[in-house]
Amino acid sequence: MKNTVILFFALFTVCPLFADGLSDVVLKEFTGGEKLPVGWNVSLPQAAAVKPDGVKVELPANGKDRHASVTKTLPVEQLRGTRLRVAVQAKAENVAEPPKPYNGIKAMLVLDTPGGKQWLQQNVGGGTFGWKEIAFNAAVPADTTAATFLLGLEDTTGKVEFQSLTITVIAKKRSKVVRSETSHQPIYRGHHLSRLRGAMISPDNFGKKDIEVFGGQWKANHVRWQLIWSGFPNGPADTATVEEYNVWLEKQCKHLDEMLPLCKQYGVYVCLDLHTPPGGRLPRNKDSAMRMFYDEKFQDAFVAAWEKLAKRYKDAEMVWSYDILNEPVEGNMPEQDGLLHWRDLALKTSKAIRRVDPVKAIVIEGEPWGGPDALEWFEPFDPKEVPNVIYSAHCYVPHPFTHQGVYDSPTGLKYPGEIGGKYWDKNELRKALRVPAEFAKDYGVSIYIGEFSAIRWSPDGSAYRYLKDCIDIFEEQGWDWAYHAFREWDGWSVEHGSDPKDHKPAAEPTDRELLLRSWFEKNER
């Protein structure tokens, strides 16, 4: 008996991005109607039937074919320099477990770029399940030459159906501006010192003796004060109610209140960092996305939390800034009324803060994860609308090096050296920090490096060399910076040696500790 592949496709509408302004929907399925879709290429046309109401792909287990798909070319000129959300409903029956996680049920965006092809998807695998959403976010490089969308089965057998497919623009690259070279308006930094140099701390491990060391002996002049609920990225907030969250936040504030007089005594300014937002995060297998991007009540609680924090600390001399959210992650955020994407939520929250505290610095990180490149997708606020904003990036590039041995990731990576097929050195680090450097220049704003680090067991003194190069670049740019972290998890501790099994502080100062202290010695108070 001949193998049979039956494919039913829904009709899509390609919407122009620039009609009356930016249109969010790029490609949308019509679930009804009589018109057949056009422009689809079917891998097995002799066995394909295209209809308006959906798609079905079926590969019998006793057949020889293990691949079947339909593809459609997308208008790449409308997609370049955007971030997309792709979402499709699917159900499956007896789809055999594929050999690789990326095989099996396919809903995939394929991009052609000068650097090669990119295959972007959510790994689904196989199995039997009822209708559920398959969704993922995708960044389309500005130099993309072609874009194709694909649905089907790959290296497997069974049956899968698709419907309700949409591709939506969720962000576009920031606009480029030309700042007058003759502008002498000072860049706002939120303090009167030449530089803030310090570290992130965990309040649970930061008391009187710790600030005596960090501010008194080491001469650090600021801390990034985590409001964190027992772990990162996941912790108790992931299942807590708003009421339980507010109880926890009040307890955290009381500890900070007790420490602020000591901060003043030692000249240590505080960046108040909301590390744990209301709702916490989803599990790591769901990208550790924040629940507040899935549930409006947590967004409301987020804004309310910052209104309370601003009222509490607006007159606190040693609270330098409000870092309103640590490493935001939207994940596969559903498109529904009332839910705000990160920039809109950050703007709403900042306006709420400004109604309470018109002066103190607000620190904003890009999405996702606050990395250097995240600022490429963040359009800065109008300073007339929200003044005194500082933009922040966290530096963990290349990530396989800085986090080697974390979550059982491979170890043995040296810096400088080849990491992930590229030779990384100071010049490559400088390139990796190009986006925040250009962001600062384009908009005349200050950049704050809220975190940077390298795991202490990086081989052959690599952590020291990496930190030294990072700090040199920060100082060249005139950026305030906070090392991650002082007396938090010992994997990041500069007071511990390079043996991952030794959890006691080193008998003598490490080269990493001496490096930080040499820079802290330059601090003003």
Side-chain angles (χ1 to χ4, degrees), residues 16 37 97 119 196 199 209 294 315 340 362 394 443 458:
E97 196 63 30
W119 296 271
L196 289 180
K209 292 183 179 179
Y294 293 74
D315 297 320
L340 300 177
I362 295 173
H394 295 178
Y443 304 111
S458 302

Side-chain angles (χ1 to χ4, degrees), residues 231-497:
F232 181 83
N234 297 103
D238 301 352
T239 56
T241 65
V242 171
E243 292 73 22
E244 291 168 334
Y245 178 87
N246 289 335
V247 170
W248 163 79
L249 187 59
E250 174 63 24
K251 182 179 179 181
Q252 292 291 304
C253 289
K254 286 181 178 178
H255 178 47
L256 175 57
D257 295 344
E258 293 169 355
M259 291 293 293
L260 283 176
L262 288 170
C263 290
K264 181 174 177 60
Q265 178 180 339
Y266 290 103
V268 174
Y269 288 90
V270 172
C271 170
L272 191 58
D273 153 40
L274 191 59
H275 225 74
T276 303
R281 293 180 184 257
L282 297 174
R284 288 181 61 217
N285 63 0
K286 295 186 178 180
D287 301 323
S288 298
M290 293 168 169
R291 288 172 67 205
M292 68 179 182
F293 293 111
Y294 293 74
D295 192 329
E296 187 179 355
K297 72 173 179 288
F298 292 125
Q299 293 197 346
D300 293 340
F302 176 73
V303 177
W306 271 111
E307 287 175 327
K308 293 177 182 177
L309 290 169
K311 289 176 183 177
R312 190 170 193 141
Y313 295 111
K314 66 177 181 178
D315 297 320
E317 177 187 357
M318 300 311 294
V319 174
W320 156 60
S321 63
Y322 306 132
D323 190 341
I324 66 173
L325 185 61
N326 178 71
E327 298 182 352
V329 179
E330 293 181 358
N332 296 319
M333 179 180 169
E335 296 295 330
Q336 64 186 51
D337 291 343
L339 277 181
L340 300 177
H341 286 283
W342 169 232
R343 187 189 182 278
D344 294 329
L345 180 59
L347 181 60
K348 179 180 179 179
T349 306
S350 298
K351 287 180 176 179
I353 291 172
R354 281 290 167 259
R355 288 192 291 269
V356 176
D357 181 346
V359 176
K360 206 176 293 291
I362 295 173
V363 176
I364 302 292
E365 303 175 29
E367 193 279 334
W369 292 108
D373 287 349
L375 287 177
E376 189 77 307
W377 303 95
F378 196 94
E379 191 77 18
F381 300 155
D382 184 342
K384 296 178 181 178
E385 191 174 21
V386 184
N388 297 357
V389 176
I390 294 168
Y391 296 89
S392 181
H394 295 178
C395 185
Y396 296 106
V397 287
H399 196 271
F401 168 76
T402 62
H403 282 64
Q404 58 187 297
V406 180
Y407 299 126
D408 298 321
S409 59
T411 58
L413 300 175
K414 297 180 181 181
Y415 175 89
E418 186 169 313
I419 304 164
K422 179 190 292 187
Y423 187 83
W424 281 87
D425 57 10
K426 190 174 185 178
N427 187 52
E428 203 61 40
L429 275 181
R430 192 176 281 108
K431 291 179 183 178
L433 291 164
R434 173 192 60 81
V435 170
E438 290 183 353
F439 193 98
K441 182 179 179 180
D442 287 347
Y443 304 111
V445 296
S446 182
I447 295 295
Y448 171 54
I449 302 296
E451 294 184 27
F452 71 104
S453 199
I455 206 72
R456 64 182 173 91
W457 48 77
S458 302
D460 299 334
S462 290
Y464 166 82
R465 293 191 294 273
Y466 177 85
L467 297 179
K468 182 179 184 300
D469 284 354
C470 282
I471 295 173
D472 285 348
I473 295 169
F474 305 158
E475 292 288 329
E476 289 171 6
Q477 296 290 342
W479 296 341
D480 297 326
W481 51 265
Y483 173 75
H484 177 221
F486 178 76
R487 295 186 178 176
E488 189 208 44
W489 177 51
D490 69 41
W492 308 114
S493 172
V494 297
E495 295 178 287
H496 289 67

Side-chain angles (χ1 to χ4, degrees), residues 203-223:
D204 294 340
N205 302 321
F206 197 72
K208 185 175 185 296
K209 292 183 179 179
D210 305 296
I211 198 169
E212 287 174 351
V213 172
F214 194 60
Q217 298 176 25
W218 288 23
K219 309 299 184 186
N221 63 4
H222 100 283
V223 292

